[in-house]
Amino acid sequence: MLEIFAGKQSLRLAKPIMNAAGVMGFGGEYNKLIPPDTFGAFVTNPLTWRGLRAAEGMRVAALDSGMLIHTGLPNPGLQRAVQRYGARWANSPIPVIVHVAANTADELTACAGYLDGIDKVAALEVGLADHATHREARLMIGAARSRTQLPILARLPLYQAGQIAAAAVEAGADALVVAAPPRGSARDPISGRLIGGRVYGTWLKALALRAVGWVARNVHVPIIGSGGIHTPDDAREFLEAGARAIQLDSVIWIRPSMAALIAEDLTVGMMTRAANSLADDMYTGYIDPAARRAQLLPSPPPLPPPPTLPED
Amino acid sequence: MQESQAIIERVRRVAPTVLRLEVAVHRAHGAIGGGQLLLARVAEQYDPYLREMWQPIARRSETQLIIERPAVRDYTPGATVSLIGPVGKPVPLREGGRALLLVAAEASPTALLFLANAALAKGAAVALVLIGAAGRYPVEALPQEIEVHRVGDYAIWPERDRMLTWADQVVATAPPPLDTPIYVRLAEDLKRIRLQPPPELATVLFQMPMPCGVGACQACLVRIGGEDVPACTDGPGFNLFSVKLGG
């Protein structure tokens, strides 16, 4: 169980795993593929104070072992979203964390103030801009903190995570999500145009893992690791790096069944591993660390045969 | 909607550029309808990363589908496939319809073939218009009952007015970003030709990438009646006259 405290309120996660913002919709979209109680919490798609329309043109580009996606953060606006999805959030068996994206502190203040006091919302996740500075991080998190008692999770941009983590905590963030998927560009093969957007893939793990490790060593609030987790081993590596929980992103789209596998492995497999007992039946890919070391390290040279003794 | 395993039982190369896979599927996937699709992952590796969008062209039985794929990669008989779906809503054939017009522009007509086969099975006449790059599709792979017309461009489709008048139902498809201009012109022509086109007259199938298939990632949103709706849950076929085209 992970508990994130924010003064009088707290966010309790029965399992150290949740989805990343932007992956599972606004509530209920994945119910037929992933049981709602698979995770410890549900994070909504990004919501803005005023509604946004979908981006025009091509929105997805395939990459090697990854993808680029550019949606424009379409959403009906925070107030309409609460009206439309509030009943689903109220019926959710797990805490609902509303992710808010804002360009200005005023917008964030409005969002935080509106969500404060809505009992179906367990926490607020604030997405910070990709190039946010110390000052901007303090301004935005401070703006949200001033209007809500809810636990605040600050989602840090990957390349700025180390620089602004402390500022976000000082301004009132109760936990840090490390990190948001970075932005990239790719060519749409049909139109021939370059499109820009968030990039996801297996290769993201190494970058996010390093960021988690650095931030965990330098700030002292719970870290939620996110970025490129595709297997139970990936998830464990984030926890070993210092994260107290993890978020799954694009693996949910391409292999939804892996979400349950990772969740099971984190909640049951951790005990199995610590007790050094047999591999978890749920995940046939599990390899005992000792066996893995034996695979990777060269085996010692065979001993020479003992000298034969001369016959008498 | 569910995720389950399927097995590729047979692979047939019906033309140099077209493969047809006979796939044993779960009953839930076998119940797929025209216009719907399945998101398929053939290999355990993550390259390709996105699931393939598999469009069935026929149902052999409750648990066997024929999937048409471009011959750009190999599929192995006996291989296990992870399928998510059925994605989207089925496009119904119009009740009592006797003349189905299918229009494929700048891409393979694969997405239309399930409807074509279903209409032929009901004894309807089916005409298929292949516009632009769609004309490269090997028509020898199609049932002989389908009347095929190849045209270089929508604007120079010589039989356009006559065929749009003839059809009880029109289903069109084109890949993004070429879909919008084609659909705009089709809507204009139908409104010009038909006095009061019934709402179920024309359906357009959107073929944008659908990473999640459940409307969560919002990569496939289409503007309908002032709202953005996911093509993977509310489509991919939409009533042509309800779609907001052209921005």
Side-chain angles (χ1 to χ4, degrees):
Chain A
M1 157 96 67
L2 169 63
E3 195 156 6
I4 297 170
F5 291 95
K8 295 177 186 174
Q9 298 193 32
S10 69
L11 169 66
R12 289 195 180 132
L13 302 176
K15 301 177 188 179
I17 179 171
M18 64 191 85
N19 62 291
V23 172
M24 287 183 71
F26 296 107
E29 287 87 337
Y30 260 99
N31 282 358
K32 290 183 181 174
L33 292 179
I34 301 176
D37 59 355
T38 297
F39 295 141
F42 166 73
V43 182
T44 70
N45 275 11
L47 286 164
T48 51
W49 183 241
R50 290 193 175 78
L52 291 176
R53 285 185 55 180
E56 297 286 336
M58 203 60 169
R59 302 186 192 114
V60 176
L63 305 173
D64 292 339
S65 300
M67 60 183 287
L68 179 149
I69 184 166
H70 167 57
T71 63
L73 299 185
N75 73 95
L78 183 62
Q79 290 169 300
R80 281 186 69 190
V82 172
Q83 289 166 11
R84 193 180 293 180
Y85 303 106
R88 294 188 205 178
W89 297 349
N91 291 330
S92 170
I94 54 176
V96 174
I97 301 171
V98 175
H99 181 102
V100 168
N103 290 325
T104 66
D106 286 343
E107 283 179 16
L108 195 46
T109 302
C111 292
Y114 184 78
L115 289 172
D116 194 52
I118 296 182
D119 57 8
K120 55 198 93 169
V121 176
L124 177 64
E125 182 178 278
V126 176
L128 294 174
D130 290 330
H131 299 289
T133 61
H134 294 99
R135 183 177 164 278
E136 286 158 353
R138 275 201 193 90
L139 182 67
M140 297 299 272
I141 300 300
R145 182 80 282 160
S146 70
R147 291 300 303 275
T148 184
Q149 305 266 0
L150 289 169
I152 293 178
L153 284 60
R155 189 167 86 158
L156 307 181
L158 177 64
Y159 297 126
Q160 296 288 98
Q163 284 88 323
I164 66 173
V169 173
E170 284 163 15
D174 303 297
L176 299 176
V177 177
V178 183
R183 291 191 185 275
S185 294
R187 193 173 298 281
D188 167 29
I190 298 176
S191 68
R193 294 193 194 130
L194 283 176
I195 56 175
R198 299 272 182 200
V199 289
Y200 297 87
T202 55
W203 41 265
L204 187 52
K205 185 192 100 174
L207 304 173
L209 194 56
R210 183 166 178 83
V212 165
W214 197 99
V215 172
R217 283 194 294 278
N218 290 279
V219 296
H220 302 292
V221 295
I223 309 295
I224 299 169
S226 177
I229 297 174
H230 285 73
T231 65
D233 283 341
D234 292 344
R236 291 179 182 184
E237 286 171 15
F238 273 71
L239 299 181
E240 286 180 20
R244 297 286 306 282
I246 58 114
Q247 288 185 347
L248 300 182
D249 49 36
S250 54
V251 68
I252 290 176
W253 295 332
I254 61 166
R255 293 184 77 175
S257 55
M258 183 57 75
L261 219 56
I262 294 174
E264 181 79 19
D265 198 71
L266 286 184
T267 50
V268 173
M270 289 285 290
M271 294 165 57
T272 304
R273 190 179 190 185
N276 201 26
S277 55
L278 295 174
D280 189 339
D281 291 334
M282 283 286 293
Y283 175 46
T284 56
Y286 175 77
I287 299 177
D288 178 72
R292 189 192 292 274
R293 274 195 294 278
Q295 283 179 347
L296 295 173
L297 293 175
S299 42
L303 291 171
T308 54
L309 295 174
E311 293 290 323
D312 284 338
Chain B
M1 164 68 70
Q2 72 177 70
E3 182 181 4
S4 71
Q5 304 292 316
I7 297 175
I8 299 175
E9 293 182 325
R10 190 177 175 197
V11 179
R12 290 171 55 229
R13 185 179 288 264
V14 297
T17 57
V18 177
L19 299 175
R20 287 196 181 150
L21 316 179
E22 295 176 15
V23 185
V25 300
H26 188 281
R27 233 171 258 278
H29 294 150
I32 198 166
Q36 291 182 299
L37 54 102
L38 299 166
L39 296 178
R41 171 164 296 282
V42 181
E44 287 295 313
Q45 291 77 24
Y46 288 106
D47 204 2
Y49 192 74
L50 292 169
R51 285 182 174 249
E52 297 177 3
M53 291 168 61
W54 279 14
Q55 288 151 335
I57 64 168
R59 183 191 301 114
R60 276 261 173 86
S61 71
E62 285 182 343
T63 54
Q64 194 182 46
L65 297 174
I66 309 297
I67 308 289
E68 184 167 286
R69 296 293 301 155
V72 295
R73 61 158 293 173
D74 291 329
Y75 297 93
T76 308
T80 303
V81 183
S82 166
L83 294 180
I84 292 176
V87 173
K89 292 180 178 167
V91 175
L93 287 175
R94 197 171 167 194
E95 196 68 36
R98 305 300 303 167
L100 175 64
L101 176 62
L102 303 171
V103 179
E106 308 301 342
S108 162
T110 301
L112 303 171
L113 297 185
F114 194 103
L115 289 166
N117 287 321
L120 288 173
K122 287 188 169 184
V126 178
L128 172 64
V129 179
L130 300 172
I131 300 175
R136 293 199 287 261
Y137 184 83
V139 297
E140 61 271 20
L142 295 171
Q144 291 184 348
E145 297 91 335
I146 297 179
E147 181 184 322
V148 179
H149 297 252
R150 282 191 172 111
V151 302
D153 187 81
Y154 184 95
I156 56 170
W157 175 6
E159 302 283 330
R160 185 173 64 228
D161 283 13
R162 191 169 72 85
M163 295 181 84
L164 291 177
T165 305
W166 162 83
D168 295 323
Q169 185 175 8
V170 180
V171 183
T173 190
L178 307 168
D179 46 7
T180 299
I182 298 277
Y183 298 164
V184 165
R185 296 173 80 169
L186 183 62
E188 287 170 354
D189 283 336
L190 282 170
K191 286 176 185 170
R192 174 176 57 80
I193 292 166
R194 307 289 284 257
L195 195 59
Q196 277 185 324
E200 63 274 19
L201 172 65
T203 302
V204 288
L205 293 180
F206 286 89
Q207 295 194 47
M208 66 277 277
M210 298 177 184
C212 75
V214 297
C217 70
Q218 303 191 297
C220 64
L221 295 180
V222 175
R223 195 98 183 142
I224 302 284
E227 278 207 21
D228 288 328
V229 299
C232 64
T233 54
D234 293 43
F238 291 96
N239 179 328
L240 173 60
F241 302 116
S242 69
V243 179
K244 181 161 171 36
L245 299 165

